[in-house]
Amino acid sequence: MFGAFKPTFVAHGGLLWKNPFRMSTTRKANVRKRLKEVDAVIATIAESGVKCKALDNALALPKEAEMHARDKYTVFSRTANGYRKSVHKVPKFTKLTNRTSPTGF
């Protein structure tokens, strides 16, 4: 097709995903807030006296205050340089539990 509405090539189209390279301070604050809210829910369930394997696994995870910044904002990735990538590059990172990494990373 020629004219004003001709399709562009993928190679000349620029960025496909408009995802920033670094996390903004607002996104980092939202991550910390989300971690604190999850910690509060886990503590509330533990105080209620419920016992289950999922709760035991959740209690074994580090709390937001105990985590290093590296673990809050990045996750382990086999393919990334330095074996870490920013948490906002992970699909559905708000729904996943990414609090622990392999030992040594």
Side-chain angles (χ1 to χ4, degrees):
M1 281 172 54
F2 298 107
F5 300 107
K6 64 182 178 182
T8 59
F9 295 107
V10 175
H12 299 113
L15 287 175
L16 181 60
W17 304 109
K18 307 296 186 194
N19 201 350
F21 179 70
R22 287 187 178 86
M23 284 183 76
S24 65
T25 54
T26 308
R27 279 196 180 190
K28 286 183 179 182
N30 288 339
V31 167
R32 288 191 304 271
K33 179 181 164 192
R34 196 176 300 113
L35 288 170
K36 288 175 187 174
E37 288 174 352
V38 169
D39 290 340
V41 169
I42 291 170
T44 304
I45 294 172
E47 290 173 2
S48 69
V50 175
K51 295 187 190 269
C52 62
K53 186 176 179 181
L55 181 61
D56 294 337
N57 291 341
L59 289 172
L61 294 172
K63 295 191 177 4
E64 186 269 337
E66 300 169 352
M67 294 173 70
H68 296 289
R70 179 184 62 197
D71 293 330
K72 288 182 197 177
Y73 310 124
T74 62
V75 292
F76 175 77
S77 174
R78 292 184 302 161
T79 58
N81 291 340
Y83 300 104
R84 288 261 172 193
K85 71 178 179 181
S86 186
V87 72
H88 74 291
K89 301 279 188 181
V90 178
K92 298 188 169 125
F93 76 96
T94 60
K95 309 292 182 199
L96 300 174
T97 303
N98 295 321
R99 294 191 182 214
T100 56
S101 297
T103 54
F105 294 99

